[in-house]
Amino acid sequence: MSDQIKTIKDIAKSLNISVATVSRVLNKSGYFSPEVGKKVMDLVQETGFVYNRNARALKNDKTFTIGLMLPDISNPYFSSIALTIEEYFNRIGYALYICNTKSDPELEFKHFNTFIANKVDGVICISQMSKLPNNFMQYNIPIIAIDRFPICNIPITKIMNDDYQTSFEIAELFVKKKCKNIIMISGNYENVIINAELLKRFNGFYDGLKMHNITFSQENLYFVDMSSDDIIFETEALINSLIAEQKEIDGIFATSDQFALGAVYALNNAGVSIPGKVKVASYDNSLYSTICRPAITSVDQNLHLMATTACEKLLTLINSDQKKSNEVIIIPSYLVERESTN
Amino acid sequence: MSDQIKTIKDIAKSLNISVATVSRVLNKSGYFSPEVGKKVMDLVQETGFVYNRNARALKNDKTFTIGLMLPDISNPYFSSIALTIEEYFNRIGYALYICNTKSDPELEFKHFNTFIANKVDGVICISQMSKLPNNFMQYNIPIIAIDRFPICNIPITKIMNDDYQTSFEIAELFVKKKCKNIIMISGNYENVIINAELLKRFNGFYDGLKMHNITFSQENLYFVDMSSDDIIFETEALINSLIAEQKEIDGIFATSDQFALGAVYALNNAGVSIPGKVKVASYDNSLYSTICRPAITSVDQNLHLMATTACEKLLTLINSDQKKSNEVIIIPSYLVERESTN
DNA sequence: ACTAAATGTGTAAACGTTTACACATTTAAA
DNA sequence: TTTAAATGTGTAAACGTTTACACATTTAGT
């Protein structure tokens, strides 16, 4: 029984060859004889040797790691994206860092620095990126942003839905169902009240209603505090207060299934019939929308396609000389009608 | 404007000092004068310098990274644990690798090797670990297992619930509610039909029923294929087939909310009243169980406490000489009664 | 048989850190 | 005033890889 084999030096010593040869075998690069090749591979097999990626990274300036930053992994919306991304990259030998930003700019900043320190080969970000390290550009790390984008001039590949168009369609659905008093529910983040994505949804929805002469304004837009531990409960409380003040509502457009769920929960509790009295539609098309009674009409954002596209684009950038790109990719979303708008 | 500052060498050159001094300042180790200290810190601040963790790891044999392995991050059960773990470790400066095993032993094996290659400081595993690298012991990496455990003799800290006791209580609840024909639903994994956790739940449930002379056997235990994309749908199909063959059932004990949801979905569709005709109880106490109509009685496994305990134990092992432990920690779970068993 | 190309292997430098050691200077104790 | 301890700084080796380069040997083309 040979000594412990922990480095290629150990392998070299054990087989009386040089580390260079071992490295060449392990990387299948350069010349080496089949006999030596077999000896090395056999020993690797037998001992289960694994090379040190930190050392390799140091030499090669390539870590085979990806950083994924998102607001909250416990949210099914984000975790389903995370699953797709992890599977994509693990399949091709990359490891994945995940971190939660809670939409907190300070955390985003900290995580970004950790990514830089760990020399990730690329970043996928589903967070606002309100505060990027000021020297970020000098680290040639490609970034793909999904669904939300920073207000900065760093070139970033952006992947988004055709939100305006789909929200417009939702508006038309409400109109078709004779709704007149519609409210919209969205999340607010500590510092970002209106983000680009919300704006597109608001505008699409606004224009869709306006086309049919239904009044809708910012006053019909309600916010749920996203920093809360229980967003569904927060939404419930919001709707309860609207019910309490006897506000007339016959349609609710939520920018996330979680809000829609909270709304349905509150309406159910109050004995308000859905869709009889109030129609509900939302974004996400998560499991929530199918589980809920009544099932909720929701926009499917094609998350798997978004995530896969993000991976492909990122990989392309990683493997190209030009690490930065400003490309904008629109992924089509589509409305799935269910009981809540019947 | 000085040149790009990317390494401590750049800092040293820029300030006309040695890298050793820069390193000492950055690590606040050893002696350095306040003036030089300030100069270095100012430059770091100004340039946003971030040290290279790979190089540091190579020298220090410490990466400040943790590996988290779980079957499927898109499952809220796992993602809520992942959130707690990520937040715990990020707070103290660690980064987190996440990978999905899909309960596939080959993937587990591959991911474990990646963890070794990346020299993680510790591993938290919520997967079966059917196949560990044979040389694993020689890498002194502490492992904490949550909820499911390998069949091997590697010392691993195990964190689990008092499943037997709680399942016993659920049995008593069913008895109290006059249920006689109860089935149990669990997931099966490609190669692990009966795992230890299921065994405890089955035994606790069995003993609880037996104490009141209610017959229950393995024939009352049904499996849902966990490799399916849509587990809820699979469960629904299972229950539908039981309904079709007119099987008499007045109680369903599911080992996961997802199964319970599928069951409720199927029963609702078939017009079978819950809890009138059939009582349902499950494990997880996830959002699903509160959202569902009727809300489902479910066992809260104290996930946050489990995850936090895992983190604390892991950190203790990381910071101690003895990296391995066989400790078994029992986290109490508790039953949350809801409409489905009224 | 002569030469050039192809093959196989080893030496040593480099990647960006940390730190033992050496050395010089300052401070404090006697 | 002498001397030991404390303080401040630099040099160089080390961590585990990869790879340019050098060198030797084999193979192939004439």
Side-chain angles (χ1 to χ4, degrees), chain B residues 183-194:
Chain B
I183 66 166
M184 185 169 173
I185 306 177
S186 177
N188 82 326
Y189 303 86
E190 209 172 316
N191 359 33
V192 188
I193 299 290
I194 306 273

Side-chain angles (χ1 to χ4, degrees), chain B residues 39-53:
Chain B
K39 275 204 298 184
V40 171
M41 292 315 280
D42 282 353
L43 189 58
V44 165
Q45 192 65 40
E46 179 201 326
T47 59
F49 166 81
V50 197
Y51 60 79
N52 183 329
R53 283 212 194 199

Side-chain angles (χ1 to χ4, degrees), chain B residues 60 82 171 320:
Chain B
N60 289 352
S320 93

Side-chain angles (χ1 to χ4, degrees), chain B residues 294-333:
Chain B
I296 303 166
T297 292
S298 193
V299 174
D300 191 306
Q301 297 185 255
N302 244 330
L303 290 188
H304 187 74
L305 181 58
M306 286 188 102
T308 307
T309 308
C311 294
E312 285 166 354
K313 287 294 164 186
L314 184 58
L315 192 61
T316 305
L317 288 179
I318 287 173
N319 291 328
S320 93
D321 296 330
Q322 180 57 41
K323 300 286 184 206
K324 300 286 183 180
S325 141
N326 249 321
E327 195 178 356
V328 174
I329 299 166
I330 310 283
I331 305 290
S333 54

Side-chain angles (χ1 to χ4, degrees), chain A residues 22 35 39 56 70 74 104 179 185 222 245 255 293 328:
Chain A
V22 178
E35 299 80 51
K39 275 203 299 185
R56 211 179 228 207
L70 36 75
S74 73
D104 174 354
C179 298
I185 306 177
Y222 292 86
E245 64 189 53
T255 58
R293 292 290 164 189
V328 174

